Amino acid sequence: MQRVDIDDVEPKTLADESVDRRGLTEALGTSDLAINRYALDPGEAFAGGLHAHLDQEEVFYVVSGTATFETKDDPTGETETVEVAAGEAIRFAPGEFQQGRNESDDRVVALALGAPRPSTELRTPQPCPECDSDVLAVDVSEDGMRLECPDCGATLDA
C-alpha cells in the first residue's frame, strides 16, 4: 500500500505552461497506471492541444468545477464539445482525440488516469508539411515538444 498527500507532491510543468499538475504515478509507485492531479484556473487546459494516445485509454474524474472536453473520432472528423461537472467522469479510448480545458470562471480540479502506463504513442491532428499525412507524432520532454511525421519522418519544433 502507498499513500501520499497531494499537497506534498511538487507541481510539474512542461515547457512554459503554468498549470498546477501533480504527478502521482511515482509518488504512489504505480507500474501500470498513470495518475495526475490537475488544478486548472479559468482559461487553462490539461494539455497543449488536441491529442490522442494510441496505446492508452484515459479517464478524467472532475473533483470540483466543470471541465470542457473537445473530442474528435479521427483527425479529419467533426469535433464535439462535452462538459463534465464535479462528480462526473469521462473516458477516452485509445486513438480518440481529445483536449480538456477550463472554460468556466471557477477553478477545476480533476484526476487524470491513463492505462497502460507509460504511453509512448501520442498523436496530434496536424498535417505534415512534407507529405499527405494528417497526423503527427508528439514527443514531449522537459525541454519542450517536438512533432514528427510517422509516415515520412519530417520533424517540427512545437
Side-chain angles (χ1 to χ4, degrees):
M1 181 173 82
Q2 289 288 94
R3 180 179 173 178
V4 65
D5 184 331
I6 293 173
D7 291 334
D8 292 340
V9 177
E10 288 294 318
K12 183 177 181 181
T13 60
L14 298 173
D16 60 350
E17 66 181 26
S18 62
V19 171
D20 182 352
R21 178 180 52 237
R22 297 176 192 242
L24 304 179
T25 305
E26 283 77 25
L28 290 171
T30 64
S31 58
D32 299 319
L33 176 68
I35 309 168
N36 289 294
R37 184 274 208 167
Y38 290 86
L40 304 177
D41 289 327
E44 292 182 332
F46 292 101
L50 201 61
H51 68 284
H53 295 268
L54 301 183
D55 58 350
Q56 183 183 69
E57 64 183 322
E58 291 181 286
V59 172
F60 291 84
Y61 172 72
V62 178
V63 177
S64 64
T66 299
T68 301
F69 288 88
E70 178 182 359
T71 66
K72 187 185 278 198
D73 288 333
D74 65 70
T76 59
E78 301 259 337
T79 62
E80 177 184 354
T81 302
V82 178
E83 287 189 348
V84 182
E88 296 180 334
I90 189 168
R91 174 193 176 264
F92 297 101
E96 189 174 2
F97 289 91
Q98 60 85 11
Q99 179 187 21
R101 19 179 217 282
N102 180 359
E103 293 184 350
S104 75
D105 293 331
D106 300 317
R107 188 169 230 216
V108 169
V109 176
L111 292 174
L113 311 169
R117 173 191 177 251
S119 175
T120 58
E121 296 293 324
L122 187 61
R123 300 290 187 268
T124 186
Q126 183 171 327
C128 175
E130 302 292 327
C131 73
D132 292 335
S133 178
D134 56 6
V135 176
L136 296 178
V138 181
D139 178 31
V140 179
S141 70
E142 290 182 10
D143 297 330
M145 187 170 69
R146 189 182 68 142
L147 304 175
E148 182 177 331
C149 178
D151 293 341
C152 73
T155 60
L156 300 162
D157 287 327

